[in-house]
């Protein structure tokens, strides 16, 4: 079933323009996002093929089945709550039955978590982006050898540096476990003509190996030094390297270029939503009302244009989080929406819709 099917079969209860155009933060090149609510045909609903959500290929148009919509309302999901506060100029269609859904009947202290904690997650994401931009990973991946160190007196030297100073090649090296000491190895050197001891070197392949390589050491051979493999450091590096290049591959090219162009090294659109969500959360806690169209459009667009320093925005956001926590601690809102009343409304609207079909 597609969105076109919903329209053709008159299954839509509500359809509206959402996102930046609803918030009032849209720019001339902004996309037009659509959100809505639909009801499955009666035969589908009572059958095995329940469909909770339908979207187009780009996910710019998303419609929630009535039951899923109510489930998300009960969780105070910001996306679906905002549908109930859609500005009149963004409403495309509203079925008379949908008038029974009012934001005030669902707003609760769960909004502290759904709005504010989501915003906090976006702050962490902004910090992560800042780190990625300012500390990019070079395309050449480090190897196990870059995390190996050889004892030298009371200290240690990078294994490759130590070998170069001693005039040894990695192919001459043999490693053996040191009992009771994790990731510490006795280092042997084959100095015989033709390298007859048969040592295997330090790693199987410098580019792909994930561990050091052990060798069989003839009895009586003495180690020339001890080698330590910083396994935890290597593991952490591999994770950071992988995450960085996955981010490079998947990042939104246009948003990234905007980030680079304004020179402040944060995702400006992301930070705009941080402040929007935190301000909405505080309003909900203090007034019990949901205001989707933002009154401070210019401030939010200043953020999007990169007119503030990253450190100041993060500090201000942290202060706003504290204000939200205080507001919800003192709020008269219920702890959670009335589940029984919501279920009754769900049944009533569905029965009425099927009766009219």
């Amino acid at each position: 079933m597609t969105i076109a099917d919903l329209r053709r079969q008159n299954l839509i209860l509500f359809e509206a323009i959402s996102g930046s155009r609803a918030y009032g933060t849209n720019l001339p090149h902004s996309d037009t996002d659509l959100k809505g609510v639909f009801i499955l045909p009666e035969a589908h609903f009572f059958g095995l093929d329940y469909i909770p959500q339908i979207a187009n290929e780009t996910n710019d148009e998303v419609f929630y089945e009535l039951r899923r919509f109510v489930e998300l309302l009960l969780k105070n999901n910001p996306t679906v709550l905002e549908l109930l506060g859609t500005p009149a100029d963004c409403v495309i269609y509203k079925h008379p039955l949908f008038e029974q859904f009012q934001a005030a009947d669902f707003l609760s202290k769960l909004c502290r978590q759904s709005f504010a904690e989501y915003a906090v997650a976006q702050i962490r994401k902004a910090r992560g982006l800042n780190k990625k931009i300012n500390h990019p990973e070079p395309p050449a991946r480090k190897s196990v050898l870059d995390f190996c160190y050889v004892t030298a007196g009371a200290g240690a030297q990078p294994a490759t540096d130590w070998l170069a100073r001693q005039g040894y090649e990695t192919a001459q090296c043999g490693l053996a476990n040191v009992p009771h000491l994790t990731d510490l190895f006795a280092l042997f050197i084959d100095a015989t003509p033709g390298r007859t001891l048969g040592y295997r070197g330090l790693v199987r392949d410098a580019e792909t190996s994930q561990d050091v390589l052990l060798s069989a050491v003839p009895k009586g051979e003495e180690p020339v030094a001890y080698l330590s493999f910083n396994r935890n450091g290597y593991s952490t590096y591999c994770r950071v390297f992988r995450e960085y290049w996955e981010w490079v591959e998947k990042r939104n090219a246009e948003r990234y270029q905007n980030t680079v162009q304004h020179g402040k090294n944060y995702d400006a659109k992301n930070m705009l939503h941080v402040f929007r969500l935190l301000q909405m959360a505080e309003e909900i806690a203090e007034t019990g009302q949901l205001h989707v169209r933002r009154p401070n459009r210019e401030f939010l667009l200043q953020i999007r244009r990169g007119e503030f320093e990253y450190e100041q925005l993060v500090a201000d956001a942290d202060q706003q989080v504290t204000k939200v926590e205080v507001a919800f601690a003192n709020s008269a809102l219920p702890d959670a929406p009335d589940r029984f009343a919501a279920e009754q409304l769900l049944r009533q609207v569905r029965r009425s819709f099927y009766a009219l079909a």
Side-chain angles (χ1 to χ4, degrees):
M1 184 172 286
T2 66
I3 295 174
D5 293 329
L6 299 181
R7 293 195 174 102
R8 186 171 57 254
Q9 298 179 46
N10 296 317
L11 298 172
I12 293 176
L13 282 178
F14 183 73
E15 181 176 358
I17 296 170
S18 62
S20 62
R21 297 186 186 280
Y23 307 139
T25 59
N26 57 296
L27 298 173
H29 61 273
S30 295
D31 294 332
T32 299
D33 298 330
L34 296 180
K35 294 280 191 301
V37 181
F38 72 97
I39 290 186
L40 277 172
E42 189 170 6
H44 281 66
F45 176 70
F46 287 111
L48 295 175
D49 298 322
Y50 179 75
I51 303 172
Q53 184 173 312
I54 295 175
N56 67 349
E57 291 182 358
T58 61
N59 225 41
D60 292 331
E61 300 179 13
V62 181
F63 285 73
Y64 304 95
E65 208 285 325
L66 182 63
R67 187 178 81 186
R68 180 59 177 160
F69 175 66
V70 173
E71 289 172 346
L72 292 173
L73 284 177
L74 288 173
K75 295 178 180 179
N76 280 182
N77 177 282
T79 300
V80 297
L81 272 177
E82 287 169 6
L83 289 180
L84 298 184
T86 301
D89 60 353
C90 288
V91 175
I92 297 173
Y93 173 75
K94 181 187 287 188
H95 193 287
L97 289 172
F98 197 76
E99 296 283 358
Q100 298 177 66
F101 289 95
Q102 298 295 320
D105 295 331
F106 292 93
L107 295 176
S108 76
K109 290 183 178 179
L110 292 182
C111 288
R112 182 197 66 80
Q113 178 179 5
S114 61
F115 279 76
E117 291 192 8
Y118 178 77
V120 169
Q122 297 308 299
I123 296 173
R124 289 196 294 268
K125 184 177 178 181
R127 287 189 173 113
L129 175 63
N130 185 269
K131 182 177 179 181
K132 287 182 174 72
I133 292 174
N134 287 302
H135 303 282
E137 290 291 334
R141 184 173 175 272
K142 293 181 180 180
S143 74
V144 165
L145 284 178
D146 292 307
F147 294 84
C148 290
Y149 299 84
V150 173
T151 56
Q157 297 177 5
T160 51
D161 292 350
W162 184 86
L163 289 170
R165 290 191 182 96
Q166 300 299 319
Y168 297 136
E169 298 177 9
T170 57
Q172 292 178 263
C173 299
L175 295 180
N177 283 314
V178 176
H180 312 300
L181 295 177
T182 303
D183 294 327
L184 184 68
F185 306 90
L187 173 60
F188 298 85
I189 298 295
D190 184 354
T192 64
R195 298 177 187 172
T196 58
L197 297 180
Y199 294 157
R200 304 170 68 196
L202 298 180
V203 294
R204 191 180 305 277
D205 183 282
E207 294 185 1
T208 62
S209 293
Q210 301 295 307
D211 205 344
V212 293
L213 191 63
L214 299 182
S215 295
V217 178
K219 189 173 182 179
E221 290 295 313
E222 292 292 331
V224 297
Y226 290 88
L227 180 143
S228 173
F229 173 34
N230 182 2
R231 191 180 301 274
N232 288 338
Y234 176 68
S235 177
T236 299
Y237 163 76
C238 289
R239 176 180 56 79
V240 171
F241 182 87
R242 182 183 68 254
E243 290 175 352
Y244 174 80
W245 287 105
E246 285 178 352
W247 167 74
V248 169
E249 181 181 356
K250 297 176 183 178
R251 68 192 176 194
N252 182 300
E254 180 182 352
R255 285 177 67 172
Y256 178 70
Q257 286 304 315
N258 289 339
T259 296
V260 173
Q261 287 168 11
H262 68 55
K264 299 299 175 62
N265 291 348
Y266 59 82
D267 185 331
K269 189 173 181 180
N270 176 275
M271 290 302 291
L272 178 157
H273 288 302
V274 166
F275 282 87
R276 178 185 65 79
L277 286 164
L278 290 173
Q279 291 164 357
M280 289 178 70
E282 186 179 12
E283 292 168 1
I284 290 169
E286 292 179 345
T287 69
Q289 298 178 6
L290 178 69
H291 301 292
V292 173
R293 179 67 51 78
R294 304 313 301 149
N296 57 342
R297 165 186 165 88
E298 184 51 36
F299 167 70
L300 295 175
L301 290 181
Q302 282 181 290
I303 295 176
R304 184 162 184 175
R305 291 193 295 266
E307 296 183 13
F308 301 101
E309 295 299 326
Y310 164 78
E311 292 79 8
Q312 185 60 52
L313 280 178
V314 171
D316 290 347
D318 286 338
Q319 291 180 3
Q320 185 67 37
V321 169
T322 301
K323 291 174 64 178
V324 169
E325 294 290 343
V326 172
F328 273 100
N330 299 320
S331 178
L333 287 172
D335 291 337
D338 187 332
R339 182 181 178 85
F340 177 79
E343 188 172 16
Q344 292 298 105
L345 177 59
L346 169 61
R347 289 173 175 168
Q348 176 186 330
V349 170
R350 191 179 295 278
R351 285 172 180 155
S352 298
F353 185 86
Y354 289 155
L356 293 171

